[in-house]
Amino acid sequence: MRAFLLALAVCLATALPALSQSSSAAAKNAHGPAQVSSAFHVQGARLRQTLEHLSTFGRNPDGGVTRLGFSAADMAARQYVMGLMRDAGLTVRVDPAGNIFGYRAGTEKLPALLFGSHIDSVPHGGNFDGDVGSLSAIEVIRALNDHKIKTRHPLEVVIWTNEEGFHFRVGVFGSSAAAGTLDSSVLNRRDDQGLTLADWLRKYGQNPADIAKAKIAPGAVAAYVELHIEQGAVLDRAKIPIGVVEGIVGIGWWNCVATGFANHAGTTPMDQRRDALVAASKAVLAVRQAVRAVPGRQVGTVGIMKVEPGAPNIIPGRAEFSVELRDLDAAKVHRIWSDIQKRFAQISKEENVPIECKALDFDEPAKANPLVQQTIRDAARSAGLAYLDMPSGAGHDAQNAARFAPMGMIFVPSRNGISHSPLEFTPWPDVTNGAEVLYRSILLLDQRLNH
Ligand code: HGY
Ligand code: MN
Ligand code: MN
């Protein structure tokens, strides 16, 4: 993440024509505190109250949540969020992938402006990842209602299904279905309870056979905007309230199995072992070496390691582990994966332990649309908020939305850059700032887009 700092550009110089609500006191100093120069439209206290309530679904004793996509906690949270949408006057529908849409009519026959995020979490996650963008989108609708503002474009709030993808190892599931890139064979994957993804879709009231109908045709959406916490420390360190995302990394997931031979740990001499964990351990280091072997901001992680049979006095016979690679350049991810496979082949030879890997998921990287980015900058400026252009090292549903609509993302700071942790925190004023920039971005896009 530190490397990201090198790529940052402070972008305050170029102003587009002023907005109707804009103030002349727009932020001039990217490092200064937010100068709120014009009245905010969203209500921070109301938004916070809904975020705090959402955090009760799947809450862990340590304060964070485990609200996996396709779980009882997620189901209950979805009901709560659908209730908030209806209370805000939205017409709610759920698509065959379980994505929730809340519709508000426009005054002209135009495609909808779509905005939202996700409410599922990683295991032992926090209360801001996804939640902020989801509930801010609903707050934007409430604020428009408060101010009796009608838009030309219809507005649609979206809550995507199973963004984190821990369950069934398929990240950005719902938005992949919307982009038409979902490999439908994932519907047959089975979880620890013996249920398939298709079974869970049925529990969510959907017919898995209809999954292809979740696809959104290019042109059917005027633009997609997602507000999200940064999940890194760039904004927090620089004390800048708003990030304007330039692009989102591509993410590849693989599952690998090292197959050795389980045997007595006391009687098998050291030179006669086929230790699956030793091979897998070398593989973990090989991933790091391959990722570091080329210059750039790419990252690679082994986050899961399961060892069998798992006893102090048995040589491990099987080790199953994950590999994750990320970069803004998909080709680079694939090149590094090729290098890793060569290294694994060498380790297999050295340890006499075959290592076999299967591709589980690949989320293509995506660039934000220049007009949407500029609109977000203008929205931030009009609210008196300094901003920074930056890449996203985390994956988001927005990267799928970019396949069917011009896409942009708004980031708000994550304290100390901590995320996917119960310690994840975004100060409440920063949450409000993000929601206000979303509000203003939507209204500006409504003015600027004629399709
Ligand atoms: O894993 C990710 O990057 C995201 O938070 N889903
Ligand atoms: Mn996440
Ligand atoms: Mn997220």
Side-chain angles (χ1 to χ4, degrees):
M1 188 51 70
R2 202 179 323 145
F4 279 1
L5 280 169
L6 300 173
L8 293 176
V10 177
C11 300
L12 284 171
T14 48
L16 276 194
L19 304 172
S20 51
Q21 314 107 310
S22 90
S23 151
S24 57
K28 296 233 162 48
N29 177 6
H31 295 271
Q35 305 287 316
V36 177
S37 56
S38 44
F40 272 22
H41 304 80
V42 297
Q43 286 189 29
R46 183 170 62 185
L47 172 56
R48 176 177 177 171
Q49 190 259 323
T50 60
L51 277 161
E52 286 179 341
H53 191 80
L54 181 58
S55 74
T56 63
F57 297 95
R59 175 178 275 170
N60 289 320
D62 59 6
V65 289
T66 297
R67 191 164 62 236
L68 305 184
F70 301 118
S71 67
D74 186 49
M75 266 170 111
R78 287 163 58 89
Q79 290 305 324
Y80 169 61
V81 170
M82 284 191 264
L84 291 178
M85 284 181 166
R86 289 193 189 99
D87 291 348
L90 296 172
T91 306
V92 176
R93 76 183 161 91
V94 181
D95 79 5
N99 298 314
I100 301 168
F101 293 87
Y103 183 86
R104 185 180 196 259
T107 58
E108 294 181 25
K109 211 170 168 334
L110 289 165
L113 289 165
L114 186 66
F115 49 109
S117 192
H118 64 97
I119 59 165
D120 64 299
S121 82
V122 290
H124 301 280
N127 292 314
F128 294 83
D129 178 357
D131 299 1
V132 165
S134 299
L135 295 194
S136 294
I138 300 173
E139 174 57 27
V140 164
I141 300 293
R142 284 190 297 255
L144 290 170
N145 294 344
D146 292 345
H147 292 86
K148 302 197 173 19
I149 292 174
K150 291 208 168 110
T151 52
R152 297 164 58 222
H153 295 77
L155 304 183
E156 210 156 25
V157 172
V158 60
I159 312 293
W160 303 106
T161 313
N162 199 18
E163 190 272 351
E164 298 291 3
F166 177 81
H167 202 176
F168 298 111
R169 302 291 189 271
V170 53
V172 288
F173 167 80
S175 56
S176 300
T181 57
L182 185 76
D183 168 4
S184 57
S185 70
V186 300
L187 299 183
N188 303 321
R189 286 189 190 165
R190 218 168 266 286
D191 65 12
D192 296 345
Q193 302 165 50
L195 295 174
T196 62
L197 202 161
D199 292 334
W200 271 105
L201 277 176
R202 278 186 281 268
K203 274 174 174 271
Y204 277 35
Q206 301 309 312
N207 179 0
D210 288 343
I211 192 84
K213 293 185 189 153
K215 183 170 160 53
I216 298 177
V221 165
Y224 175 78
V225 185
E226 183 165 349
L227 166 65
H228 205 281
I229 58 167
E230 179 201 327
Q231 305 181 271
V234 172
L235 294 174
D236 188 40
R237 285 203 190 121
K239 305 234 174 308
I240 295 177
I242 297 294
V244 183
V245 172
E246 301 166 301
I248 306 171
V249 291
I251 306 178
W253 279 357
W254 291 266
N255 187 61
C256 302
V257 177
T259 309
F261 190 84
N263 205 345
H264 199 289
T267 60
T268 313
M270 293 307 283
D271 63 350
Q272 287 169 35
R273 297 172 176 225
R274 294 178 55 212
D275 186 326
L277 182 55
V278 169
S281 303
K282 284 186 165 182
V284 174
L285 296 178
V287 168
R288 189 169 70 164
Q289 283 153 4
V291 170
R292 286 180 157 186
V294 281
R297 298 194 300 246
Q298 66 279 354
V299 289
T301 306
V302 175
I304 299 175
M305 179 70 73
K306 287 191 213 149
V307 183
E308 292 171 21
N313 52 358
I314 307 175
I315 297 161
R318 186 176 189 275
E320 182 175 347
F321 58 97
S322 60
V323 179
E324 187 202 76
L325 298 176
R326 300 185 181 215
D327 194 68
L328 280 173
D329 176 2
K332 192 177 201 182
V333 169
H334 294 303
R335 277 199 304 278
I336 294 171
W337 177 244
S338 299
D339 180 20
I340 288 173
Q341 281 178 300
K342 281 187 205 128
R343 291 171 192 254
F344 283 6
Q346 178 62 29
I347 295 164
S348 293
K349 248 197 248 159
E350 286 163 13
E351 298 300 326
N352 196 14
V353 172
I355 302 175
E356 276 171 16
C357 299
K358 211 170 70 187
L360 289 183
D361 198 18
F362 191 82
D363 301 317
E364 293 286 340
K367 288 204 166 79
N369 174 275
L371 184 141
V372 181
Q373 283 182 72
Q374 189 55 48
T375 300
I376 294 168
R377 292 186 199 108
D378 295 339
R381 188 182 295 112
S382 78
L385 298 169
Y387 60 84
L388 199 59
D389 285 6
M390 60 190 303
S392 171
H396 299 287
D397 293 303
Q399 65 205 91
N400 282 322
R403 290 179 169 260
F404 57 77
M407 172 278 281
M409 283 193 82
I410 304 161
F411 273 178
V412 287
S414 292
R415 192 169 67 190
N416 298 324
I418 298 171
S419 184
H420 285 185
S421 156
L423 297 177
E424 182 176 271
F425 183 70
T426 295
W428 295 107
D430 285 321
V431 172
T432 309
N433 287 338
E436 180 68 21
V437 173
L438 178 63
Y439 175 97
R440 290 170 186 240
S441 298
I442 294 303
L443 285 183
L444 276 179
L445 287 170
D446 187 48
Q447 288 168 24
R448 290 177 181 178
L449 296 175
N450 285 311
H451 49 78

